[in-house]
Coordinates of all heavy atoms in Angstrom, one line a residue:
M1 N -128.6 39.9 -243.2 CA -127.4 40.1 -244.0 C -127.4 41.5 -244.7 O -128.5 42.0 -245.0 CB -127.3 39.1 -245.2 CG -126.1 39.2 -246.1 SD -126.1 37.9 -247.3 CE -124.7 38.4 -248.3
I2 N -126.3 42.1 -244.8 CA -126.2 43.5 -245.3 C -125.3 43.6 -246.5 O -124.4 42.7 -246.7 CB -125.8 44.5 -244.3 CG1 -124.4 44.2 -243.7 CG2 -126.8 44.6 -243.1 CD1 -123.8 45.3 -242.8
T3 N -125.5 44.5 -247.4 CA -124.6 44.8 -248.5 C -124.3 46.3 -248.4 O -125.0 47.1 -247.9 CB -125.3 44.5 -249.8 OG1 -126.5 45.2 -250.0 CG2 -125.5 43.0 -249.9
Y4 N -123.2 46.7 -249.0 CA -122.7 48.0 -249.0 C -122.6 48.6 -250.5 O -122.3 47.9 -251.4 CB -121.3 48.1 -248.5 CG -121.2 47.8 -247.0 CD1 -120.9 46.6 -246.6 CD2 -121.4 48.8 -246.1 CE1 -120.8 46.3 -245.2 CE2 -121.3 48.6 -244.7 CZ -121.0 47.3 -244.3 OH -121.0 47.0 -243.0
D5 N -122.9 49.9 -250.6 CA -122.6 50.6 -251.8 C -121.2 51.2 -251.5 O -121.1 52.2 -250.8 CB -123.7 51.7 -252.0 CG -123.4 52.4 -253.4 OD1 -122.2 52.5 -253.8 OD2 -124.4 52.9 -254.0
R6 N -120.2 50.5 -252.1 CA -118.9 50.9 -251.7 C -118.5 52.3 -252.2 O -117.7 53.0 -251.6 CB -117.9 49.9 -252.4 CG -118.1 48.5 -251.9 CD -117.3 47.5 -252.7 NE -115.9 47.8 -252.7 CZ -115.1 47.4 -251.7 NH1 -115.6 46.7 -250.7 NH2 -113.8 47.7 -251.7
D7 N -119.2 52.8 -253.2 CA -118.9 54.1 -253.7 C -119.4 55.2 -252.8 O -118.9 56.3 -252.8 CB -119.5 54.3 -255.2 CG -118.7 53.4 -256.2 OD1 -117.5 53.1 -255.9 OD2 -119.4 53.0 -257.2
K8 N -120.5 54.9 -252.1 CA -121.1 55.9 -251.2 C -120.4 56.0 -249.8 O -120.5 57.0 -249.1 CB -122.6 55.6 -251.0 CG -123.5 55.9 -252.1 CD -124.9 55.6 -251.7 CE -125.9 56.0 -252.9 NZ -127.3 55.6 -252.5
C9 N -119.8 54.8 -249.4 CA -119.3 54.8 -248.0 C -118.2 55.8 -247.8 O -117.2 55.9 -248.6 CB -118.7 53.4 -247.8 SG -117.9 53.2 -246.2
I10 N -118.3 56.5 -246.7 CA -117.3 57.5 -246.3 C -116.4 57.1 -245.2 O -115.6 57.8 -244.6 CB -117.9 58.9 -245.9 CG1 -118.9 58.7 -244.7 CG2 -118.7 59.5 -247.1 CD1 -119.4 60.0 -244.1
R11 N -116.5 55.8 -244.8 CA -115.6 55.1 -243.9 C -115.6 55.7 -242.5 O -114.6 55.9 -241.9 CB -114.1 55.1 -244.5 CG -114.1 54.5 -245.9 CD -112.7 54.6 -246.4 NE -112.7 54.1 -247.8 CZ -111.7 53.7 -248.5 NH1 -110.5 53.7 -247.9 NH2 -111.8 53.3 -249.7
C12 N -116.8 56.1 -242.1 CA -116.9 56.7 -240.8 C -116.9 55.7 -239.6 O -116.6 56.1 -238.5 CB -118.2 57.5 -240.7 SG -119.7 56.5 -240.7
G13 N -117.3 54.5 -239.9 CA -117.3 53.4 -238.8 C -118.5 53.3 -238.0 O -118.6 52.5 -237.1
T14 N -119.5 54.1 -238.3 CA -120.8 54.1 -237.5 C -121.5 52.7 -237.6 O -122.0 52.3 -236.6 CB -121.8 55.2 -238.1 OG1 -121.1 56.4 -237.9 CG2 -123.0 55.2 -237.3
C15 N -121.5 52.1 -238.7 CA -122.1 50.8 -238.8 C -121.5 49.8 -237.9 O -122.2 48.9 -237.3 CB -122.2 50.3 -240.3 SG -120.6 50.3 -241.1
L16 N -120.2 49.9 -237.7 CA -119.5 48.9 -236.8 C -119.9 49.2 -235.4 O -120.1 48.3 -234.6 CB -118.0 49.1 -236.9 CG -117.3 48.5 -238.1 CD1 -117.3 49.3 -239.3 CD2 -115.8 48.2 -237.7
D17 N -120.0 50.5 -235.1 CA -120.3 50.9 -233.7 C -121.8 50.6 -233.3 O -122.0 50.3 -232.1 CB -120.1 52.4 -233.5 CG -118.7 52.9 -233.7 OD1 -117.8 52.0 -233.5 OD2 -118.4 54.0 -234.0
V18 N -122.7 50.6 -234.2 CA -124.1 50.5 -233.8 C -124.6 49.0 -233.9 O -125.7 48.7 -233.4 CB -125.1 51.4 -234.6 CG1 -124.7 52.9 -234.4 CG2 -125.1 51.0 -236.1
C19 N -123.9 48.2 -234.5 CA -124.3 46.8 -234.7 C -124.4 46.1 -233.3 O -123.4 45.8 -232.7 CB -123.5 46.0 -235.7 SG -124.0 44.3 -235.9
P20 N -125.6 45.7 -232.9 CA -125.7 45.0 -231.6 C -125.1 43.6 -231.6 O -124.8 43.0 -230.6 CB -127.2 45.0 -231.3 CG -127.8 45.0 -232.7 CD -126.9 45.8 -233.5
Q21 N -125.0 43.0 -232.8 CA -124.5 41.6 -232.9 C -123.0 41.6 -233.2 O -122.4 40.5 -233.4 CB -125.2 40.9 -234.0 CG -126.7 40.7 -233.7 CD -126.9 39.6 -232.7 OE1 -126.9 39.9 -231.5 NE2 -127.0 38.4 -233.1
L22 N -122.3 42.8 -233.4 CA -120.9 42.8 -233.7 C -120.5 42.0 -234.9 O -119.5 41.3 -234.9 CB -120.1 42.4 -232.5 CG -120.4 43.1 -231.2 CD1 -119.6 42.6 -230.0 CD2 -120.1 44.6 -231.3
T23 N -121.3 42.1 -236.0 CA -121.1 41.3 -237.1 C -120.2 42.0 -238.2 O -119.9 41.4 -239.2 CB -122.4 40.9 -237.8 OG1 -123.0 42.0 -238.5 CG2 -123.4 40.3 -236.8
I24 N -119.9 43.3 -237.9 CA -119.3 44.1 -239.0 C -117.8 44.4 -238.5 O -117.6 44.8 -237.4 CB -120.0 45.4 -239.2 CG1 -121.5 45.1 -239.5 CG2 -119.4 46.2 -240.3 CD1 -122.4 46.4 -239.6
D25 N -116.9 44.3 -239.4 CA -115.5 44.6 -239.2 C -115.0 45.5 -240.3 O -115.6 45.6 -241.4 CB -114.7 43.3 -239.1 CG -115.0 42.5 -237.9 OD1 -114.9 43.1 -236.8 OD2 -115.4 41.3 -238.0
W26 N -113.8 46.1 -240.2 CA -113.2 46.8 -241.2 C -112.6 45.8 -242.2 O -111.9 44.8 -241.8 CB -112.1 47.7 -240.7 CG -112.5 48.9 -240.0 CD1 -112.4 49.1 -238.6 CD2 -113.3 50.0 -240.5 NE1 -112.9 50.3 -238.3 CE2 -113.5 50.9 -239.4 CE3 -113.7 50.3 -241.8 CZ2 -114.2 52.1 -239.6 CZ3 -114.4 51.5 -241.9 CH2 -114.6 52.4 -240.9
G27 N -112.8 46.0 -243.5 CA -112.2 45.2 -244.5 C -110.7 45.8 -244.7 O -110.4 46.9 -244.3
T28 N -109.9 45.0 -245.4 CA -108.6 45.4 -245.6 C -108.5 46.7 -246.5 O -107.5 47.4 -246.5 CB -107.7 44.3 -246.3 OG1 -108.4 43.9 -247.5 CG2 -107.6 43.1 -245.3
D29 N -109.5 46.9 -247.3 CA -109.5 48.1 -248.1 C -110.1 49.3 -247.5 O -110.3 50.4 -248.1 CB -110.2 47.8 -249.4 CG -111.7 47.4 -249.2 OD1 -112.1 47.2 -248.0 OD2 -112.4 47.1 -250.2
G30 N -110.5 49.2 -246.2 CA -111.0 50.4 -245.4 C -112.5 50.5 -245.6 O -113.1 51.4 -245.0
I31 N -113.2 49.6 -246.3 CA -114.6 49.6 -246.4 C -115.1 48.4 -245.4 O -114.6 47.3 -245.4 CB -115.1 49.2 -247.8 CG1 -114.5 50.3 -248.8 CG2 -116.6 49.2 -247.9 CD1 -115.1 51.6 -248.7
P32 N -116.1 48.7 -244.6 CA -116.6 47.7 -243.7 C -117.1 46.4 -244.5 O -117.6 46.5 -245.6 CB -117.8 48.3 -243.0 CG -117.6 49.8 -243.1 CD -116.9 50.0 -244.5
I33 N -117.0 45.3 -243.8 CA -117.5 44.0 -244.3 C -118.3 43.4 -243.2 O -118.0 43.6 -242.0 CB -116.4 43.1 -244.8 CG1 -115.4 42.8 -243.6 CG2 -115.6 43.6 -246.0 CD1 -114.4 41.7 -243.9
Q34 N -119.2 42.6 -243.6 CA -120.0 41.8 -242.6 C -119.3 40.5 -242.4 O -119.4 39.6 -243.3 CB -121.4 41.7 -242.9 CG -122.3 41.1 -241.8 CD -123.7 41.2 -242.1 OE1 -124.2 40.8 -243.1 NE2 -124.5 41.5 -241.1
S35 N -118.5 40.3 -241.3 CA -117.7 39.1 -241.2 C -118.5 37.9 -240.7 O -118.1 36.8 -240.9 CB -116.6 39.4 -240.2 OG -117.0 40.0 -239.1
R36 N -119.7 38.1 -240.1 CA -120.5 37.0 -239.6 C -122.0 37.3 -240.0 O -122.8 37.6 -239.2 CB -120.4 36.8 -238.1 CG -118.9 36.4 -237.7 CD -118.8 36.2 -236.2 NE -119.0 37.4 -235.4 CZ -120.0 37.6 -234.6 NH1 -120.9 36.7 -234.4 NH2 -120.1 38.7 -233.9
P37 N -122.3 37.1 -241.3 CA -123.6 37.5 -241.8 C -124.7 36.7 -241.1 O -125.8 37.2 -241.0 CB -123.5 37.3 -243.3 CG -122.3 36.4 -243.5 CD -121.4 36.7 -242.4
H38 N -124.5 35.5 -240.7 CA -125.5 34.7 -240.2 C -125.9 35.1 -238.8 O -126.9 34.7 -238.2 CB -125.2 33.2 -240.2 CG -125.1 32.6 -241.6 ND1 -126.3 32.6 -242.4 CD2 -124.1 32.2 -242.4 CE1 -125.9 32.1 -243.6 NE2 -124.6 31.8 -243.6
D39 N -125.1 35.9 -238.1 CA -125.4 36.5 -236.8 C -126.2 37.8 -236.9 O -126.7 38.3 -235.9 CB -124.2 36.7 -236.0 CG -123.6 35.4 -235.5 OD1 -124.2 34.4 -235.6 OD2 -122.4 35.5 -235.1
C40 N -126.4 38.3 -238.1 CA -127.2 39.5 -238.3 C -128.6 39.3 -238.0 O -129.2 38.4 -238.5 CB -127.0 40.0 -239.8 SG -128.1 41.4 -240.2
M41 N -129.2 40.1 -237.1 CA -130.6 40.0 -236.8 C -131.5 40.9 -237.6 O -132.7 41.0 -237.3 CB -130.8 40.2 -235.3 CG -130.3 41.5 -234.8 SD -130.3 41.4 -233.0 CE -131.5 42.7 -232.6
E42 N -130.9 41.6 -238.6 CA -131.7 42.4 -239.5 C -132.5 43.5 -238.8 O -133.6 43.8 -239.1 CB -132.6 41.5 -240.4 CG -131.8 40.6 -241.2 CD -132.6 39.4 -241.8 OE1 -133.8 39.4 -241.6 OE2 -132.0 38.5 -242.3
C43 N -131.8 44.1 -237.8 CA -132.5 45.1 -237.0 C -132.5 46.4 -237.8 O -133.3 47.3 -237.5 CB -131.7 45.3 -235.7 SG -130.1 46.0 -235.9
G44 N -131.6 46.6 -238.7 CA -131.6 47.8 -239.5 C -130.8 49.0 -238.9 O -130.8 50.1 -239.5
A45 N -130.2 48.8 -237.8 CA -129.5 49.9 -237.1 C -128.4 50.4 -238.0 O -128.1 51.7 -238.1 CB -129.0 49.4 -235.8
C46 N -127.7 49.6 -238.7 CA -126.5 50.0 -239.5 C -127.0 50.9 -240.6 O -126.5 52.0 -240.9 CB -125.8 48.8 -240.0 SG -126.8 47.6 -240.8
A47 N -128.1 50.5 -241.3 CA -128.6 51.2 -242.4 C -129.2 52.6 -242.0 O -129.0 53.6 -242.6 CB -129.7 50.4 -243.2
M48 N -130.0 52.5 -240.8 CA -130.6 53.8 -240.3 C -129.6 54.8 -239.9 O -129.9 56.0 -240.0 CB -131.6 53.4 -239.2 CG -132.9 52.8 -239.6 SD -134.0 52.6 -238.3 CE -133.3 51.3 -237.4
N49 N -128.5 54.4 -239.4 CA -127.5 55.3 -238.9 C -126.4 55.6 -239.8 O -125.5 56.5 -239.5 CB -126.9 54.7 -237.6 CG -127.9 54.7 -236.4 OD1 -128.1 55.8 -235.8 ND2 -128.4 53.6 -236.1
C50 N -126.3 55.0 -241.0 CA -125.3 55.3 -242.0 C -125.5 56.7 -242.6 O -126.6 57.0 -243.2 CB -125.3 54.3 -243.1 SG -124.1 54.7 -244.4
P51 N -124.6 57.7 -242.4 CA -124.8 59.0 -242.9 C -124.8 59.1 -244.4 O -125.1 60.2 -245.0 CB -123.6 59.8 -242.2 CG -122.6 58.8 -242.1 CD -123.3 57.5 -241.8
A52 N -124.3 58.1 -245.1 CA -124.2 58.1 -246.5 C -125.1 57.2 -247.3 O -125.0 57.1 -248.5 CB -122.7 57.7 -246.9
A53 N -126.1 56.6 -246.5 CA -127.1 55.7 -247.1 C -126.4 54.6 -247.9 O -126.8 54.3 -249.0 CB -128.1 56.5 -247.9
A54 N -125.3 54.1 -247.4 CA -124.5 53.1 -248.1 C -124.8 51.7 -247.7 O -124.2 50.8 -248.3 CB -123.0 53.4 -247.9
V55 N -125.7 51.5 -246.7 CA -125.9 50.1 -246.3 C -127.3 49.7 -246.6 O -128.3 50.5 -246.5 CB -125.8 50.0 -244.7 CG1 -125.9 48.6 -244.3 CG2 -124.4 50.6 -244.3
H56 N -127.4 48.5 -247.1 CA -128.7 47.9 -247.4 C -128.9 46.6 -246.7 O -128.0 45.8 -246.7 CB -128.8 47.6 -249.0 CG -130.1 46.9 -249.3 ND1 -131.3 47.5 -249.3 CD2 -130.3 45.6 -249.7 CE1 -132.3 46.6 -249.7 NE2 -131.6 45.4 -249.9
V57 N -130.0 46.5 -246.0 CA -130.3 45.3 -245.2 C -131.2 44.3 -246.0 O -132.2 44.7 -246.5 CB -131.0 45.6 -243.9 CG1 -131.3 44.3 -243.1 CG2 -130.2 46.5 -243.0
E58 N -130.6 43.1 -246.3 CA -131.4 42.2 -247.1 C -132.2 41.3 -246.1 O -131.6 40.5 -245.4 CB -130.4 41.3 -247.9 CG -131.0 40.4 -248.9 CD -130.0 39.7 -249.8 OE1 -128.8 40.1 -249.7 OE2 -130.4 38.8 -250.5
A59 N -133.5 41.5 -246.1 CA -134.3 40.8 -245.1 C -134.5 39.4 -245.4 O -134.5 39.0 -246.6 CB -135.7 41.5 -245.1
G60 N -134.6 38.6 -244.4 CA -134.9 37.2 -244.5 C -133.7 36.3 -244.8 O -133.9 35.1 -245.0
V61 N -132.5 36.8 -244.6 CA -131.3 36.0 -245.0 C -130.5 35.7 -243.7 O -130.0 34.6 -243.6 CB -130.4 36.8 -245.9 CG1 -129.1 36.1 -246.2 CG2 -131.2 37.1 -247.2
G62 N -130.5 36.6 -242.8 CA -129.6 36.4 -241.6 C -130.3 35.7 -240.4 O -131.3 34.9 -240.6
C63 N -129.9 36.1 -239.2 CA -130.3 35.5 -238.0 C -131.9 35.6 -237.8 O -132.5 34.6 -237.4 CB -129.6 36.1 -236.8 SG -129.9 35.4 -235.2
F64 N -132.4 36.8 -238.1 CA -133.8 37.0 -237.9 C -134.6 36.1 -238.8 O -135.6 35.5 -238.4 CB -134.2 38.5 -238.1 CG -135.7 38.7 -237.9 CD1 -136.2 38.7 -236.6 CD2 -136.5 39.0 -238.9 CE1 -137.5 38.9 -236.4 CE2 -137.8 39.2 -238.7 CZ -138.4 39.2 -237.5
G65 N -134.2 36.0 -240.0 CA -134.8 35.1 -241.0 C -134.8 33.7 -240.5 O -135.8 33.0 -240.7
A66 N -133.7 33.3 -240.0 CA -133.6 31.9 -239.5 C -134.6 31.7 -238.3 O -135.2 30.6 -238.3 CB -132.2 31.7 -239.0
L67 N -134.7 32.7 -237.5 CA -135.7 32.5 -236.4 C -137.1 32.4 -236.9 O -137.9 31.6 -236.4 CB -135.6 33.7 -235.4 CG -134.4 33.6 -234.4 CD1 -134.3 34.9 -233.7 CD2 -134.5 32.5 -233.5
V68 N -137.4 33.2 -237.9 CA -138.8 33.2 -238.5 C -139.0 31.9 -239.1 O -140.1 31.2 -238.9 CB -138.9 34.4 -239.5 CG1 -140.2 34.2 -240.3 CG2 -138.9 35.7 -238.8
N69 N -138.1 31.4 -239.9 CA -138.2 30.1 -240.5 C -138.4 29.0 -239.5 O -139.2 28.1 -239.7 CB -137.0 29.8 -241.4 CG -137.1 30.6 -242.7 OD1 -138.2 30.9 -243.2 ND2 -135.9 30.9 -243.3
E70 N -137.6 29.1 -238.4 CA -137.7 28.0 -237.4 C -139.1 28.1 -236.8 O -139.7 27.0 -236.5 CB -136.6 28.2 -236.4 CG -136.6 27.1 -235.3 CD -135.4 27.3 -234.4 OE1 -134.4 27.8 -234.9 OE2 -135.5 26.9 -233.3
T71 N -139.6 29.3 -236.5 CA -140.9 29.4 -235.8 C -142.0 29.0 -236.7 O -142.9 28.3 -236.3 CB -141.1 30.9 -235.4 OG1 -140.0 31.3 -234.5 CG2 -142.4 31.0 -234.6
L72 N -142.0 29.5 -237.9 CA -143.1 29.2 -238.8 C -143.1 27.9 -239.5 O -144.1 27.2 -239.7 CB -143.2 30.3 -239.9 CG -143.5 31.7 -239.5 CD1 -143.5 32.7 -240.6 CD2 -144.8 31.8 -238.7
F73 N -141.9 27.4 -239.9 CA -141.8 26.2 -240.7 C -141.0 25.1 -240.0 O -140.8 24.0 -240.6 CB -141.1 26.6 -242.0 CG -141.8 27.8 -242.7 CD1 -141.1 29.0 -242.9 CD2 -143.1 27.7 -243.2 CE1 -141.7 30.0 -243.5 CE2 -143.7 28.8 -243.8 CZ -143.0 29.9 -244.0
G74 N -140.5 25.3 -238.8 CA -139.8 24.3 -238.1 C -138.4 24.0 -238.7 O -137.8 23.0 -238.4
K75 N -137.9 24.9 -239.5 CA -136.6 24.7 -240.1 C -135.5 25.2 -239.1 O -135.5 26.3 -238.6 CB -136.4 25.6 -241.4 CG -137.3 25.2 -242.6 CD -137.0 26.1 -243.8 CE -137.9 25.7 -244.9 NZ -137.7 26.6 -246.1
K76 N -134.5 24.3 -238.9 CA -133.4 24.6 -238.0 C -132.3 25.1 -238.9 O -131.6 24.3 -239.5 CB -133.0 23.4 -237.2 CG -134.1 22.9 -236.3 CD -133.9 23.5 -234.9 CE -135.0 22.9 -234.0 NZ -135.0 23.7 -232.7
D77 N -132.1 26.4 -238.9 CA -131.1 27.0 -239.8 C -129.9 27.5 -239.0 O -128.9 27.8 -239.6 CB -131.7 28.2 -240.5 CG -131.5 28.2 -242.0 OD1 -130.7 27.3 -242.4 OD2 -131.9 29.1 -242.7
G78 N -130.0 27.6 -237.7 CA -128.9 28.0 -236.9 C -128.9 29.6 -236.8 O -129.2 30.3 -237.7
C79 N -128.8 30.0 -235.6 CA -128.8 31.4 -235.3 C -128.0 31.7 -234.0 O -128.5 31.6 -232.9 CB -130.3 31.9 -235.1 SG -130.4 33.7 -235.0
G80 N -126.7 32.0 -234.3 CA -125.8 32.1 -233.2 C -125.7 33.4 -232.6 O -125.0 33.7 -231.7
Ligands
SF4_1 S1 -121.9 53.9 -241.5 FE1 -122.0 54.0 -243.8 S2 -120.5 55.5 -244.4 FE2 -120.0 54.9 -242.3 S3 -118.5 53.2 -242.5 FE3 -120.6 52.3 -242.4 S4 -121.2 52.1 -244.6 FE4 -119.5 53.5 -244.5
SF4_2 S1 -129.0 44.9 -239.5 FE1 -128.5 45.1 -237.3 S2 -127.5 43.1 -236.7 FE2 -127.5 43.3 -239.0 S3 -125.5 44.2 -239.4 FE3 -127.0 45.9 -239.3 S4 -126.9 46.6 -237.2 FE4 -125.9 44.6 -237.3

């Protein structure tokens, strides 16, 4: 799962372009939103490629976290 610093975002669209899971869309206010946070695999590509350092990846919440929980603890959290 990711969060944005809305004041830093320059609306370049890079985070949408680099997300391998296509979880990010444009919000109605022109700031990106993560429309499918549970599909986020926490790869960090959006944060690493953001020219404004406006993206923060919250580890252990999205798809990757679900896979880790399933592997380590047998929890079936869903990871589409
Ligand atoms: S890559 Fe960064 S600056 Fe560009 S739209 Fe996404 S959050 Fe905004
Ligand atoms: S961390 Fe990876 S999968 Fe998650 S939103 Fe960013 S680019 Fe997409």
Side-chain angles (χ1 to χ4, degrees):
M1 180 178 174
I2 59 173
T3 56
Y4 292 93
D5 185 330
R6 300 171 59 83
D7 293 332
K8 286 185 178 177
C9 177
I10 60 171
R11 307 178 185 197
C12 68
T14 301
C15 53
L16 283 81
D17 293 339
V18 300
C19 179
Q21 294 287 89
L22 305 177
T23 72
I24 307 173
D25 292 304
W26 288 113
T28 54
D29 58 358
I31 303 289
I33 57 169
Q34 192 172 42
S35 49
R36 294 183 296 114
H38 291 296
D39 287 343
C40 172
M41 54 193 244
E42 297 161 11
C43 66
C46 52
M48 283 188 287
N49 288 283
C50 174
V55 186
H56 173 72
V57 180
E58 192 174 345
V61 177
C63 185
F64 181 71
L67 283 173
V68 170
N69 282 332
E70 186 173 330
T71 302
L72 294 180
F73 308 115
K75 292 181 182 174
K76 295 271 185 190
D77 229 357
C79 188

